[in-house]
Amino acid sequence: MADNSYDAIVVGSGISGGWAAKELTEKGLKVLLLERGQNVEHVKDYKTATQAPWEIPHRGRRTVEMTENHPNLRRDYVLNEQNLDWWAHESDSPYVEKKPFTWFRGYQVGGRSLLWGRQSYRLADVDFEANLKEGIAIDWPIRYKDIAPWYSYVEKFAGISGNKDGLAILPDGDFQPPMPLNCVEKDVAERVKKAFDNKRHIIIGRPANITQPLEGRVQCQYRNKCWLGCPFGGYFSTQSSTLPAAMKTGNLTLRPWSIVTKLMYDKDSKKATGVEVLDAETNETYEFNAKIVFLCASAFNSTAILMRSATDIWPDGLGSSSGELGHNVMDHHFRLGANGIAEGYEDKYYFGRRPTGIYIPRFRNLDGEKRDYLRGFGYQGAASRSGWSRNVAEMNFGAQLKETLSEPGPWSMGITAFGEILPYHENTIKLSKDVKDKWGLSVLEMNAEIKENEKKMRVDMMNDAAEMLEAAGLKNVNTFDAGYTFGQGIHEMGTARMGRDPKTSVLNGNNQVWDAKNVFVTDGAFMTSAAAQNPSLTYMAMTARAADFAVNELKKGNL
């Protein structure tokens, strides 16, 4: 096999790309895994993961210089000195905001699998059926039963901890033992369940943090430093999990600093022949050939690659024949909810820094209830005690202050809502005609916004939060709405949706591009609707499913 020829090429090494590489190599294919950014080696390159705060120049916080140099990253928590190099730099990789859009990207081996919040939930039957029943966009080409075995498959390997809660809206999975609710959360959960006639549930979050050893990984150490890389492998990432499995086969070639500029397409066979790569360090161009290509570069970047491909046949790019490529941008809108004080628990505390909180599954617009908006939302949050850094206004100096701060502060609990955004055709991305990145490639223009449906939903998202905390007996309950900018959920989805008809979708039910059947897109671009749950587990399951299909089709000679 020539150096530039492989059985399969995987573009992107994040959550989806890592799974594609693992599945394809384990099935015997020689695979080239391309990553546009730097290599990050497990443990070795987690440079700040074991540092104490006083060992970091600015205690891990952002500096004035960082704030000035990163106008997009500074919009949220992601800007800090401990892992700055794991977020894409705007000066190298800008984008255009036709409407306000916050886009946080991870350009390195592992992508955002090193940075994600790890909340891992299955979509339910109602999520796959909603578009068809409500006449929104197009119907998903699959149902829950089609993906359920693949959810189980990836849960077992990734290591998802959680409780079997028996809720139809949030199907149970193959879990490791759950992390515990703390004393306040347990009491609040019981009171909410009783107050709302068993129709609202507070459960422990289901994170990709293992609670038992798994495949050479050590269980979570309750350090809550996941965003710095975990030397123990306590949470699922490409580095801790899928990449070692792929490397073990001897079938993987990893090439960092490799920006895929386009797919090479043969109009006679109607298939891709490989990819064109721009070396991010030398600016040299290379071509790599393969029988199949998996695009896993993150939703918008995979779509951008399609837009730059086969433009001599389709001016808007490979996969654009339906008119849907770049459309139907989705995210989860959030940053609102409620908090309050829990009295009477001053003699109680909890163990360590638990890397997950509580989850409240969707309860609106179910079982015949109809609000003045479609779909629904869930909540994430936690109860905790404030620490030494709290401000005690009435004891603001001297020994009295020191003595007070040596004890934990009062218990409080907060919950933040995450709501579904409908797939609107007019929410789009497209290639800019004017702005280029560091390497001379056209950047993306973002043109997306929430609409009346989501704005009406946000009223309930905030009021329902307060209603539950008050029903649970919390005091001084306050609501909050910090405002939402599209993209802040870091759950960008859509732009190359799945469907049943090539006239209305970019991909079929096996994640194949209708216009090139040996090209598969298995990151967030394929999502036909967003649901209210965190989407990464669905990307994993769909990637494993598509890889299995692709190899079987390859063996049959259909690709």
Side-chain angles (χ1 to χ4, degrees):
M1 182 175 288
D3 287 343
N4 67 338
S5 295
Y6 298 84
D7 295 320
I9 292 172
V10 177
V11 182
S13 61
I15 284 175
S16 301
W19 267 101
K22 170 190 176 295
E23 294 302 301
L24 296 172
T25 55
E26 288 184 342
K27 295 176 188 300
L29 272 59
K30 296 294 184 181
V31 176
L32 174 65
L33 177 59
L34 298 170
E35 170 54 53
R36 66 174 292 151
Q38 64 179 322
N39 192 18
V40 175
E41 293 187 31
H42 188 42
V43 183
K44 172 179 171 287
D45 290 329
Y46 303 157
K47 300 186 186 304
T48 60
T50 57
Q51 287 183 332
W54 54 86
E55 297 177 292
I56 303 167
H58 304 97
R59 304 298 187 262
R61 299 183 179 183
R62 60 182 63 178
T63 64
V64 172
E65 181 182 15
M66 288 167 58
T67 301
E68 291 174 349
N69 291 340
H70 299 281
N72 297 109
L73 293 182
R74 73 185 183 194
R75 296 177 185 179
D76 216 326
Y77 72 94
V78 301
L79 183 60
N80 69 84
E81 67 178 337
Q82 290 177 277
N83 63 6
L84 182 59
D85 286 342
W86 287 0
W87 296 104
H89 289 209
E90 303 98 310
S91 57
D92 293 343
S93 304
Y95 62 95
V96 178
E97 299 177 72
K98 290 295 184 181
K99 292 188 176 76
F101 198 105
T102 299
W103 192 21
F104 297 143
R105 298 153 287 168
Y107 290 166
Q108 64 276 326
V109 172
R112 287 179 300 188
S113 78
L114 290 168
L115 299 160
W116 68 310
R118 305 168 310 286
Q119 294 298 299
S120 302
Y121 303 104
R122 296 186 179 199
L123 271 60
D125 269 321
V126 68
D127 299 310
F128 290 104
E129 297 169 353
N131 278 4
L132 179 64
K133 289 184 175 180
E134 296 167 355
I136 298 295
I138 60 169
D139 185 21
W140 276 87
I142 64 168
R143 290 293 183 262
Y144 176 70
K145 63 180 176 58
D146 299 310
I147 190 175
W150 295 104
Y151 275 135
S152 293
Y153 178 76
V154 300
E155 285 164 344
K156 291 172 185 175
F157 185 83
I160 312 301
S161 61
N163 188 57
K164 290 186 180 292
D165 299 295
L167 305 174
I169 191 62
L170 198 72
D172 291 331
D174 284 272
F175 301 139
Q176 290 203 343
M179 294 182 174
L181 295 170
N182 61 42
C183 58
V184 171
E185 292 164 349
K186 285 179 182 177
D187 287 353
V188 170
E190 290 178 6
R191 293 167 188 167
V192 165
K193 186 177 181 180
K194 183 177 180 180
F196 296 96
D197 196 24
N198 202 28
K199 291 182 179 178
R200 301 187 191 183
H201 302 269
I202 295 179
I203 65 173
I204 188 65
R206 300 171 180 177
N209 289 75
I210 57 176
T211 52
Q212 296 175 335
L214 177 68
E215 298 287 343
R217 297 161 54 196
V218 178
Q219 66 264 34
C220 177
Q221 301 294 298
Y222 282 63
R223 298 164 71 241
N224 197 22
K225 291 188 174 185
C226 306
W227 66 96
L228 304 178
C230 182
F232 304 94
Y235 73 86
F236 170 85
S237 67
T238 295
Q239 275 82 351
S240 70
S241 194
T242 48
L243 186 57
M247 285 294 192
K248 185 179 179 180
T249 67
N251 292 328
L252 184 71
T253 300
L254 172 63
R255 194 181 197 279
W257 299 115
S258 300
I259 301 172
V260 174
T261 55
K262 65 180 180 181
L263 299 173
M264 298 181 294
Y265 179 80
D266 180 68
K267 62 182 178 182
D268 295 324
S269 65
K270 296 183 179 179
K271 293 191 290 187
T273 60
V275 300
E276 181 183 271
V277 167
L278 178 65
D279 189 296
E281 293 184 300
T282 67
N283 287 328
E284 293 184 51
T285 298
Y286 301 88
E287 291 183 354
F288 296 97
N289 303 310
K291 299 170 185 174
I292 57 176
V293 178
F294 269 65
L295 288 181
C296 305
S298 83
F300 295 171
N301 283 319
S302 289
T303 293
I305 292 169
L306 290 174
M307 288 175 169
R308 294 196 295 262
S309 304
T311 52
D312 55 331
I313 302 169
W314 298 280
D316 294 325
L318 180 63
S320 66
S321 60
S322 64
E324 294 298 332
L325 186 67
H327 292 266
N328 314 297
V329 172
M330 295 173 286
D331 185 31
H332 287 124
H333 64 108
F334 72 124
R335 290 167 58 88
L336 75 172
N339 52 60
I341 302 299
E343 298 178 342
Y345 299 87
E346 287 72 19
D347 60 337
K348 294 181 173 62
Y349 205 66
Y350 39 81
F351 166 77
R353 300 181 182 92
R354 190 186 63 194
T356 189
I358 60 97
Y359 188 72
I360 303 176
R362 173 184 164 188
F363 52 81
R364 286 300 188 192
N365 286 323
L366 298 172
D367 302 322
E369 183 201 47
K370 289 189 177 180
R371 310 295 290 177
D372 61 349
Y373 54 86
L374 298 174
R375 313 291 166 94
F377 48 89
Y379 292 91
Q380 296 177 34
S384 62
R385 298 189 73 171
S386 56
W388 64 268
S389 61
R390 69 189 185 275
N391 178 32
V392 187
E394 66 274 19
M395 299 176 182
N396 57 11
F397 61 89
Q400 193 177 24
L401 173 65
K402 292 180 181 179
E403 185 177 338
T404 301
L405 293 186
S406 69
E407 299 291 334
W411 280 90
S412 63
M413 184 168 183
I415 53 176
T416 298
F418 290 76
E420 180 169 357
I421 296 176
L422 295 179
Y424 301 106
H425 179 80
E426 57 270 30
N427 278 347
T428 64
I429 61 171
K430 69 176 183 178
L431 296 177
S432 172
K433 295 180 180 178
D434 306 311
V435 182
K436 310 282 186 183
D437 66 12
K438 176 183 175 180
W439 298 274
L441 297 172
S442 295
V443 306
L444 286 172
E445 288 185 2
M446 314 303 195
N447 192 348
E449 62 184 355
I450 61 171
K451 300 186 185 296
E452 286 306 307
N453 192 75
E454 292 75 39
K455 292 175 183 176
K456 290 177 180 177
M457 186 188 296
R458 289 179 75 81
V459 176
D460 272 3
M461 291 164 76
M462 189 166 62
N463 292 341
D464 288 357
E467 182 183 40
M468 285 186 283
L469 294 184
E470 288 171 348
L474 270 69
K475 307 299 182 182
N476 300 324
V477 173
N478 294 300
T479 58
F480 65 91
D481 185 346
Y484 166 76
T485 300
F486 218 110
Q488 280 185 304
I490 324 183
H491 294 167
E492 64 267 23
M493 293 172 273
T495 68
R497 71 184 179 191
M498 303 175 76
R500 300 178 185 272
D501 187 340
K503 294 179 181 178
T504 58
S505 57
V506 179
L507 312 174
N508 67 15
N510 293 304
N511 295 80
Q512 289 172 288
V513 177
W514 290 107
D515 297 332
K517 62 183 181 180
N518 67 333
V519 177
F520 296 80
V521 183
T522 66
D523 53 27
F526 74 78
M527 295 286 281
T528 310
S529 64
Q533 301 92 307
N534 302 55
S536 294
L537 185 69
T538 300
Y539 305 166
M540 296 189 211
M542 292 296 285
T543 300
R545 177 177 179 267
D548 184 68
F549 173 83
V551 173
N552 288 334
E553 288 293 286
L554 203 58
K555 290 178 178 177
K556 294 174 184 176
N558 294 335
L559 296 180

